[in-house]
Amino acid sequence: LLALPAGYYTVQLLGSRSEENVRRFIRQSSLGDARYFETSLEGKPWFVVVLGSYPALSDAAAVLESLPQDLQSLKPWIRSIGGIQADLNEAADG
């Protein structure tokens, strides 16, 4: 994620305190372009699952709208790669 252009977008699917839970989620959901990263929330580890990297907001929106209902129920949203990079840099500094 750090190597991607900051102007790209991704779809955030979920966050969890448990790294094992996010690994299991990725395995069970069979989403080929899903990955996770670790940041912190309230001073504790927080693992976030994202799907894909898209150069245009409209591309990310199309993916978001095409997700199966079980993933839609998680209330996913679009995030900028630049925002995630800022979170990762802040977590590394903190």
Side-chain angles (χ1 to χ4, degrees):
L1 290 167
L2 290 173
L4 292 170
Y8 274 43
Y9 298 91
T10 190
V11 176
Q12 181 168 324
L13 297 173
L14 81 110
S16 174
R17 293 255 181 239
S18 167
E19 185 174 14
E20 181 52 38
N21 284 350
V22 299
R23 287 177 184 232
R24 186 179 316 113
F25 172 81
I26 291 171
R27 227 178 11 256
Q28 292 174 347
S29 64
S30 300
L31 296 167
D33 202 14
R35 62 188 95 157
Y36 74 95
F37 62 92
E38 180 180 353
T39 186
S40 65
L41 180 66
E42 298 171 354
K44 297 178 183 171
W46 184 247
F47 301 92
V48 178
V49 178
V50 294
L51 179 63
S53 59
Y54 310 98
L57 181 59
S58 59
D59 296 335
V63 169
L64 180 65
E65 292 174 14
S66 71
L67 290 173
Q69 187 57 43
D70 60 329
L71 295 179
Q72 291 283 350
S73 69
L74 298 173
K75 307 272 191 242
W77 69 93
I78 297 170
R79 290 193 61 188
S80 72
I81 295 296
I84 290 172
Q85 290 168 340
D87 286 352
L88 290 171
N89 289 330
E90 183 177 313
D93 292 341

